[in-house]
Every structure is written in C-alpha cells, then in structure tokens.
C-alpha cells in the first residue's frame, strides 16, 4: 500500500502531530508514505512527493505549521496561472494531479484540511482517488465535526492575548476591541472571549447593535468600571451592515479583517471614551499546539490510517460526542458549522452578563 498525505489551506497547530501519527501508523503496517509538498499546486514540479520515513517525522509533534508546506491557492480545479498576455486566470489541473497519483502508484490519500480542502477532496473522489479526510482549521467551522485540529490552540492563544490586553485596558480606562479570526463563524471569539471574561463578544451568528454595546459600557461605568473589553470575530457585522473584507485574490477565499478598528472608532464617537483596537491575526495560527491539539491531531491521523486499512474511503474522520467516527465527504462538502445560538456556551455567556451585541 502506498499512501499520500496532503495539508491544504491555512496552516493550524497540530498539523505536524497528525502527519506524524498518520505516517507512523502507515509505516507500522509496512506501507509506503509520500507527503505532497506545498499542496496540490506542486503537481507541476518535478518532485511533488516527499518520501516519508520515521526520520522525517521525528520531533515534529510540538512544532506549529506543517513540514509539508501548504497553500491557499491549492485548488486543483481552479489553479491560478499566468496567461500569455500576462493576465491571470484559473485552470483545472485535476487530471494532471490524478496522472501524478497514478505515476507514483498512490493507492489512497489522507487529505488534512478545512471546508475548502474537503470540498476539493470530495471532487477528487469523483475522479477515482480514494480519500480519507482529517478535519483541520483553527476556525472550528467544519460541518459534522465537534472539534477540528488547531482550534484549541487558537482559542488558548487568543485567551492569553485578551487577558494581557485587559490589564492595559484597565490602567488606561479605555475601550479595547480585540479582533480574532474564525471567518464566518464565531467559535474562537466566543470561547476565548468567555474564558478571558470579556465584557462584550461579537460573533457573526448575531449581528450586533451599537446601542446595545453602548448600554453595556454605560452600565459598567455606573459601577465604577471605566474600561471595557470587546472581542469581535473578524466575520461579525452590525445589524443591517456588511462583513468587513480586504478583497479577494484570484483563486483564493476573500480576506476578512478590519471590523475591530471600525467598532473602536464608532464606540469612541458614541461614548466619548478613548478606544484602541488590536488584530490578533496569524498569532492565533502559529506556534506549538496545546496538549489537546496534539492529542486530537494524533488520534485523527492514526484513525485515518485505520480507515484506509479497512477500506473506508471518501469519509472524513470526525469527533462526535467525544467519540471518533466518520462521515461521508459528500455530506460535508459545501456546508459550515456555525455556533448554535441555543448552545449552553452562548447561554453561559449571557448568564454571566456578557453582552453579545443583541
Ligand atoms: O481559515 C483559517 C484562517 O486563519 C481564518 O481564520 C482567516 O480568515 C484566514 O485563514 C486567513 O488566511 P490567510 O492566511 O490567507 O491570511
């Protein structure tokens, strides 16, 4: 048996732990393992596959990033390229990818990625590639999966950052607005905001009203609390407003970001209080994974190999109700997992007095 491993989309802490466990579990079965370098876009390079052995995965569990490399422009069905006239276009190189797999006699692919990668994986299965998916994204928005690898580290880093910003907010009696990642879902904002006892948490699932935030700020002031910590997800938007974006590069997803400075400015105008905004950005994605992320990544990686062994292809390994199971890639493709507004976490935030902007 010869398997390939691909890491696609934005990196996430825990990827290396998953690569290592999948590699070791496959080698233990006497299989050969090939890592795809820098995502599917490498099909044009002379050597897109990197032969993996025990040595290639030694000591990588604690490392952030991915030893294989990844790319946000790695969709083989829409690969950006430069046309003869110098302009850019997209082309379908998926047949070329399939040819490469055949050339290397790859029997199965372990595709580690988020919603975009699973969508691609599903389409590749329709071209005959046998795939097992592993759920990865700091955003935790993969449908059908309770926890994606990378999420725990991102929320922990965000929590620590918000804790630190809280002390300076208090000293200066400022409104501090901290923007966290998460795309169109509020998982990172909700969990890190709750854990760091933020006063206001704004998530994409609840369009916010400035009046409601101002009310919270005034309520705090009336109790002598002259600072307010506001955590805003990059995908949050005011009622009747739009998500703030920085545009879109051909072949990539739209880039979100910029809501924190807008919120900080607007709240300053309305309250007369000094404000500052901080964008945590890629800090949330880099560095060593937490213990939880290392463990879940290892479990996902090894479990993917057991699926290959059992012939359970075109499935995504997921954690549901604290148990590992699989769901068909066809069910996941094109869907997203949002924060359920009736969840106990949302309820807990409300119960402890956090303003969710509504
Ligand atoms: O999907 C993971 C993520 O970190 C999002 O939270 C964020 O919007 C995006 O990727 C940033 O992507 P890039 O690395 O292309 O800036």
């Amino acid at each position: 048996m010869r398997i390939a491993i691909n890491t696609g989309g934005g990196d996430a802490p825990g990827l290396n732990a998953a690569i290592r466990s999948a590699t070791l579990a496959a080698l233990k079965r006497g299989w050969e393992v090939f890592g795809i370098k820098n995502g599917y876009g490498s099909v044009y390079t002379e050597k897109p596959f990197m032969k993996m052995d025990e040595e290639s995965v030694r000591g990588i569990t604690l490392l952030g990033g991915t030893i294989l490399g990844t790319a946000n422009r790695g969709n083989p069905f829409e690969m950006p390229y430069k046309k003869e006239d110098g302009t850019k276009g997209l082309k379908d190189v998926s047949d070329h990818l399939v040819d490469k797999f055949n050339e290397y006699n790859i029997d199965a692919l372990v595709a580690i990625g988020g919603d975009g990668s699973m969508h691609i994986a599903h389409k590749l299965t329709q071209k005959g590639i046998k795939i097992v998916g592993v759920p990865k994204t700091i955003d935790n928005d993969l449908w059908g999966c309770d926890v994606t690898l990378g999420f725990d580290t991102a929320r922990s880093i965000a929590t620590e950052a918000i804790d630190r910003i809280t002390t300076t907010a208090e000293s200066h009696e400022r409104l501090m607005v901290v923007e966290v990642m998460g795309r169109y879902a509020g998982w990172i904002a909700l969990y890190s905001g709750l854990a760091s006892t933020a006063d206001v948490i704004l998530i994409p699932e609840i369009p916010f009203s400035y009046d409601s935030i101002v009310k919270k700020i005034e309520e705090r002031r009336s109790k002598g609390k002259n600072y307010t910590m506001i955590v805003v997800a990059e995908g949050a938007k005011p009622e009747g407003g739009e998500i703030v974006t920085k545009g879109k590069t051909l072949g990539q997803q739209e880039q979100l970001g910029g809501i924190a400075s807008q919120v900080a400015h607007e709240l300053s105008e309305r309250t007369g209080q000094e404000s500052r905004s901080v964008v945590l950005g890629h800090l949330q994605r880099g560095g060593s994974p937490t213990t939880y992320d290392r463990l879940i990544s290892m479990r996902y990686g090894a479990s993917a190999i057991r699926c290959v062994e059992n012939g359970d292809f075109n499935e995504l390994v997921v954690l549901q109700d604290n148990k590992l199971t699989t769901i068909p890639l066809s069910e996941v493709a094109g869907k997203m997992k949002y924060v359920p507004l009736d969840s106990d976490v949302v309820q807990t935030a409300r119960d402890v007095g956090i303003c969710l902007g509504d």
Side-chain angles (χ1 to χ4, degrees), residues 112-351:
I112 312 178
D115 57 331
S117 302
M118 292 313 139
H119 189 58
I120 294 166
H122 174 56
K123 286 174 84 174
L124 288 175
T125 63
Q126 292 165 344
K127 293 199 165 247
I129 298 184
K130 291 176 178 157
I131 300 183
V132 178
V134 168
K136 168 252 38 166
T137 166
I138 64 161
D139 305 335
N140 199 35
D141 59 354
L142 203 55
W143 189 87
C145 180
D146 289 353
V147 186
T148 55
L149 75 85
F151 171 58
D152 186 59
T153 309
R155 70 179 168 180
S156 304
I157 296 291
T159 300
E160 191 194 330
I162 301 162
D163 284 346
R164 287 175 184 275
I165 294 165
T166 304
T167 61
T168 159
E170 186 164 10
S171 320
H172 286 263
E173 299 195 334
R174 282 173 171 157
L175 309 176
M176 289 298 269
V177 186
V178 185
E179 179 175 314
V180 298
M181 284 184 166
R183 296 199 73 76
Y184 309 107
W187 297 99
I188 300 177
L190 179 64
Y191 281 71
S192 61
L194 183 55
S196 60
T197 68
D199 308 300
V200 179
I201 303 174
L202 307 174
I203 59 175
E205 291 83 351
I206 306 176
F208 61 87
S209 113
Y210 280 109
D211 288 346
S212 132
I213 307 171
V214 169
K215 195 166 152 232
K216 176 72 184 176
I217 294 169
E218 281 167 357
E219 207 179 280
R220 286 176 56 73
R221 275 182 179 165
S222 70
K223 292 181 189 160
K225 294 174 185 161
N226 294 327
Y227 71 98
T228 297
M229 285 299 300
I230 298 145
V231 176
V232 59
E234 62 181 0
K237 58 180 184 206
E239 282 167 356
E242 294 298 324
I243 292 178
V244 184
T245 67
K246 295 177 178 162
K248 186 175 170 354
T249 310
L250 196 67
Q252 292 193 29
Q253 291 181 310
E254 72 176 343
Q255 227 188 319
L256 306 190
I259 183 70
S261 71
Q262 289 193 6
V263 170
H265 176 75
E266 186 65 28
L267 291 177
S268 240
E269 290 287 302
R270 290 181 183 231
T271 61
Q273 192 169 356
E274 195 178 28
S275 71
R276 292 286 187 273
S277 62
V278 180
V279 179
L280 296 187
H282 294 81
L283 260 182
Q284 298 156 93
R285 254 175 42 191
S288 196
T290 57
T291 305
Y292 183 90
D293 265 337
R294 294 179 197 195
L295 294 173
I296 196 69
S297 303
M298 280 188 204
R299 290 167 70 197
Y300 281 150
S303 165
I305 297 304
R306 294 195 293 275
C307 287
V308 174
E309 185 173 43
N310 297 332
D312 294 334
F313 294 115
N314 309 339
E315 298 276 316
L316 172 68
V317 177
V318 292
L319 191 73
Q320 282 182 353
D321 300 327
N322 224 12
K323 285 203 183 75
L324 284 187
T325 180
T326 63
I327 51 175
L329 284 171
S330 57
E331 268 186 37
V332 182
K335 292 191 205 147
M336 282 188 66
K337 182 187 71 178
Y338 297 102
V339 172
L341 296 185
D342 59 355
S343 78
D344 80 282
V345 185
V346 170
Q347 197 50 57
T348 301
R350 293 194 192 282
D351 282 341

